[in-house]
Amino acid sequence: MNDRSALGPRLLAVLGAALLLTSCSRADGDDHRTADGRTSRWGKDLGAPEASAFMQLEVPKNATEVKGAVQINPQEDIYLLSFVTDEKTAVEVAEDLRPEKPLRVRNENSPSSTELFGHLGLAEPQSNKDVRWAGVCPPCVGDSRRTEVQWIEIHVLELSAGTTRVYLQAF
């Protein structure tokens, strides 16, 4: 066999490998690998309207800085919603979720294992020691409005006198 005849199969193998490697990567760099190798990504054009619709939660009319996103995952999508409102409205939103316990400061604010709210340009709510928190399993408390939602976490953080940031995360 001469050198020229061996070049064809080698060239095809190299081209095939390069094609395989590039077809498995994404140009947008917005994918994240899970521990078991599966991929999650942020839904394009999915934001606050989709997150609030999933949570069956109306963003208060007086809210500002409304932000939202949906992380598409292999098992459960994660819906994020955040806005700024007054303290009274923030507490009403939390109470409407029907948590078993009222908003409270956690004894330990463990850092989040993932930076979800960072995608919205916000610090993670757990990073502030004064943030109040409540969590609810809508099916567990008989909330028939949210039959598709397995869990909602709400974090409420006073920004200044009269303004409060609300963080909601659901799956």
Side-chain angles (χ1 to χ4, degrees), residues 4 43 57-58 96 130 150 159-160 163:
R4 191 170 251 185
L57 184 139
E58 189 173 323
D96 182 60
D130 296 325
Q150 296 303 306
L159 300 175
S160 63
T163 61

Side-chain angles (χ1 to χ4, degrees), residues 10-171:
R10 277 191 239 145
L11 183 59
L12 284 176
V14 168
L15 286 174
L19 185 61
L20 180 63
L21 287 173
T22 58
S23 70
C24 293
S25 65
R26 299 215 7 137
D28 62 12
D30 214 14
D31 283 355
H32 308 281
R33 292 247 177 239
T34 60
D36 60 2
R38 294 180 288 171
T39 304
S40 66
R41 63 181 170 78
W42 291 103
K44 294 202 183 305
D45 301 321
L46 299 176
E50 291 77 14
S52 64
F54 176 75
M55 294 181 212
Q56 295 295 307
L57 184 139
E58 189 173 323
V59 174
K61 291 184 183 0
N62 70 347
T64 60
E65 299 181 38
V66 179
K67 299 177 180 193
V70 179
Q71 187 182 58
I72 310 298
N73 292 301
Q75 289 186 314
E76 295 174 317
D77 297 339
I78 298 173
Y79 294 79
L80 303 177
L81 181 63
S82 182
F83 52 86
V84 174
T85 189
D86 60 87
E87 173 69 16
K88 180 180 182 233
T89 303
V91 171
E92 288 171 354
V93 168
E95 289 172 350
D96 182 60
L97 296 175
R98 302 179 185 165
E100 292 179 1
K101 295 181 180 178
L103 286 169
R104 62 205 177 276
V105 175
R106 288 184 175 176
N107 291 336
E108 290 182 29
N109 279 339
S110 58
S112 176
S113 61
T114 57
E115 295 273 331
L116 295 173
F117 285 95
H119 179 73
L120 300 176
L122 301 170
E124 298 303 312
Q126 302 91 330
S127 66
N128 191 304
K129 67 178 181 159
D130 296 325
V131 71
R132 291 172 291 151
W133 170 89
V136 65
C137 165
C140 302
V141 297
D143 188 347
S144 60
R145 301 168 297 170
R146 298 179 175 99
T147 57
E148 300 297 314
V149 182
Q150 296 303 306
W151 181 256
I152 299 177
E153 277 192 19
I154 183 168
H155 290 87
V156 175
L157 177 63
E158 184 177 356
L159 300 175
S160 63
T163 61
T164 301
R165 177 168 294 284
V166 174
Y167 299 82
L168 293 148
Q169 176 181 335
F171 60 86

